[in-house]
Each structure stands twice: as structure tokens, then as C-alpha cells.
């Protein structure tokens, strides 16, 4: 059966429950869209996929195929099973939020990944209890000389995808990052839809 | 007035309220002790010093003198005003916890930085509401080729210290990391007291 392709609308979020053993594929439909990505234990949303715990066990800043991401209780939650992109993703940078856009000089309301997570969970009847640091798919934050970082346009291409096997019953959530003041979603600063599939 | 030197007992934590403008000096008394370090808005412990938000504004993995760490609301909370150590600290790795020691094969209870934060706050009448990724002072986690990390012994020396100016009324907390299964606290894997001063 071909899995149904689900929308992550440009500037907004989406969330879905997945069962242990299912595969989640996140597709960079237009090629240059960063997707903030989170996962939670379906039985306890206080247990979340954690970048700082995963880095400690993987001994890598950027997970690659075969790597298992862990929760804040050091339990396996998702394993990277395929990555057709160049493998450039980010675990270092916080989700954007209203404070970030204010800091960058934007006035008024701006869509942001932090609110998108809360809204995406709410749309499937769940309430966020923690806001973990995200796994920023396709986001290009090179680390130079072991210490400096910079915000660069994605190197992914249209249709690139990264796939994860769920290691527990989980809730996964996505945000098509609305950052249009920096070229993190491409030099044209245009925000695009992305998609995901669960099979 | 010479500030009183306060104990961070080996394997345990400590916490204290500080006022905006005060300076917190954290001293590596014996030279090779990692100190997990956290800070919270004194008025709202849900607002915490955040490594993922600070990296985004500093564009650095390791803060240095002059850098201002920010909270999960992107507000200044602490500025590094002096560092007599070689400047090797870590913002990438989670606090140790009971799950970490189980993962490393330890049986039974092991002191850990995660519980130490909760206990240190409780000892001054406060309740932890979030457990942020720590600023691991003196912890040596080199990043190689932009992606790989490793756990190495500290390069700090006895009496080295790092000092912070509080940019808001804050609660600061420390844990003399009890990790004695890896050489992160020195090749002898012996855990030592550390100290702090507020002036």
C-alpha cells in the first residue's frame, strides 16, 4: 500500500501518532525547506526525543543512517533508516519563537516553530508539556574550527527525504520553519510546504 | 569585602539566589572537576538559561569572555566577565542521570547531576519545573571535523575560575559532576569538591 502523503503547510506545523515499528519519512518537497522535528513517547509527552542526550550516545552532532536518537530518559525513540539528502541537518539551534523575530527587528506576530509545535499537538488533542530542542531537518549550521557556527542555506534538493523507524509508540511533530528574515530556508527567503508519510 | 567561598560538594549540588548586577565566580578548586551549571529567572523558574538559544545568538558552541547567555525567552541572563581557565567548556552534552549510569552498566543508585539540580533547588525552597541542558563548566568535549564529539579529561588547572555577571535576578545552581565511569573529571576518575562565590 502506498502511504498517503501528508502536508506540513508552509509556515505551520503538523503532528501524528505512530506505532512502534512504523516508518516516518519526511520529504523536502521543494528542496530548501527546513523542517523542525520532534518526537515524544505517546504514553507520556514529558519523555521527548532529546538532542543533548542523543549527542552523548551517538558522539556526533548530526545523526546519520543507522543512528538511534534517544529520549531524555536515554531510551531509543527513532532510528534513521534512510537519508537521500546530503545528510546536512542540525541539532544545535533552538526553534524560532516570537522572541527571535522581535530580536531580529520584526514587529507584530510572526509564525514560529515554537508555537507551531504547541498548535500541531493541540490539533490532535494533545497538550505540550515540554518544548525540547528540535532536530532541524535539512538545516545547514556548519561548525567551523570546533567552535563557531553560522546559518547557511540548505544543501538539500527537491524530493530529498529522511526516514525514521519508530522504536516506541510515539507522537511525531513537524514545523515548516517560517524563518524568512535569514536565508536558512534558501537564499530567496521563501517558505514552502513540506510533506511526511507514515507507513 | 571578600566574598565567602561556598561549597559545591563532590558528587552533589548547590544553588543560590543572585541579584542583577552581582558576579558569580565558579572555581575549579582541584583543577579537573566538571561543574554542571544552570541559571533561572528568579521570578519564574520556567525561564531558564538555554544552551540552544544561546548558541543561536552567540554563533559559538563555547561561550567566551564578553558573551551573554540567554534564556528560552531570548533574554540576557548571564554574561561571561572573566575566565582564567583555558576556556574549554561544553554546551552540547546532557546532564548525567540515573539512566546514563544504567546505560554504562552501573547497578544501584549513582549520584547524578539531574537529581542534584532538583535537590539543590529544593534545599533553598524551590521546585524545579524544567531541566534545561546544562552549561558544563570545564568539561572537555572537542568537536572534530564539524561533526564528531568525544569525552576528554579537563584541561583546566587547580584554582581556575569562570565568572558571570547576572543580567537579571536569578537562581544559579551547580553540580560537581559525579561521573566516575568515564575520565571526564580527570583520568583518575576521582570526584572533587568545587566552590563558588557571589559578590
Amino acid at each position: 500500500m502506498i502511504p498517503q502523503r501528508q502536508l506540513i503547510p508552509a509556515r505551520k506545523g503538523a503532528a501524528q501518532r505512530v506505532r512502534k515499528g512504523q516508518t516516518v519519512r519526511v520529504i523536502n518537497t521543494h528542496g530548501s525547506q527546513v523542517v523542525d522535528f520532534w518526537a515524544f513517547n505517546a504514553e507520556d509527552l514529558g519523555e521527548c526525543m532529546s538532542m543533548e542526550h542523543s549527542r552523548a550516545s551517538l558522539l556526533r552532532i548530526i545523526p546519520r543512517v543507522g543512528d538511534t536518537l534517544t529520549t531524555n530518559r536515554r531510551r531509543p525513540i527513532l532510528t534513521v533508516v534512510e537519508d537521500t539528502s546530503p545528510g546536512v541537518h542540525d541539532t544545535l539551534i533552538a526553534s524560532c519563537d516570537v522572541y527571535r523575530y522581535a530580536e531580529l527587528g520584526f514587529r507584530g506576530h510572526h509564525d514560529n516553530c515554537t508555537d507551531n509545535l504547541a498548535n500541531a499537538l493541540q490539533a490532535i488533542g494533545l497538550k505540550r508539556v515540554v518544548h525540547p530542542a528540535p532536530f532541524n531537518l535539512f538545516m545547514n549550521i556548519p561548525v567551523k574550527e570546533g567552535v563557531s557556527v553560522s546559518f547557511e542555506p540548505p544543501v538539500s534538493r527537491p524530493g530529498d527525504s529522511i526516514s525514521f523507524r519508530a522504536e516506541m509508540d510515539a507522537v511525531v511533530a513537524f514545523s515548516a520553519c517560517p524563518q524568512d528574515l535569514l536565508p536558512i530556508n534558501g537564499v530567496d527567503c521563501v517558505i514552502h510546504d513540506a510533506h511526511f508519510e507514515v507507513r
Side-chain angles (χ1 to χ4, degrees), chain A residues 12-85:
Chain A
K12 298 293 181 182
Q16 187 169 315
R17 290 177 179 274
V18 298
R19 291 189 308 279
K20 181 177 176 175
Q22 286 192 302
T23 299
V24 181
R25 180 171 169 237
V26 188
I27 304 144
N28 202 335
T29 317
H30 295 272
S32 61
Q33 182 58 47
V34 168
V35 178
D36 280 38
F37 180 42
W38 304 268
F40 303 87
N41 174 357
E43 305 301 315
D44 175 1
L45 297 187
E47 181 173 5
C48 57
M49 178 167 72
S50 166
M51 297 304 105
E52 58 264 30
H53 293 79
S54 296
R55 285 188 295 259
S57 59
L58 298 177
L59 300 178
R60 286 177 62 81
I61 288 180
I62 306 177
R64 59 182 167 184
V65 171
D67 285 346
T68 296
L69 292 127
T70 51
T71 70
N72 51 347
R73 293 183 203 155
R74 314 255 180 192
R75 300 202 303 156
I77 184 163
L78 294 174
T79 298
V80 184
V81 292
E82 186 182 46
D83 188 356
T84 73
S85 83

Side-chain angles (χ1 to χ4, degrees), chain A residues 79-107:
Chain A
T79 298
V80 184
V81 292
E82 186 182 46
D83 188 356
T84 73
S85 83
V88 172
H89 310 285
D90 169 67
T91 69
L92 298 177
I93 301 297
S95 308
C96 62
D97 48 38
V98 291
Y99 314 106
R100 175 64 163 165
Y101 292 104
E103 184 181 74
L104 292 170
F106 189 84
R107 292 180 176 214

Side-chain angles (χ1 to χ4, degrees), chain A residues 115-126:
Chain A
D115 290 348
N116 285 352
L117 171 60
N119 294 337
L121 292 175
Q122 190 175 35
I124 61 167
L126 300 173

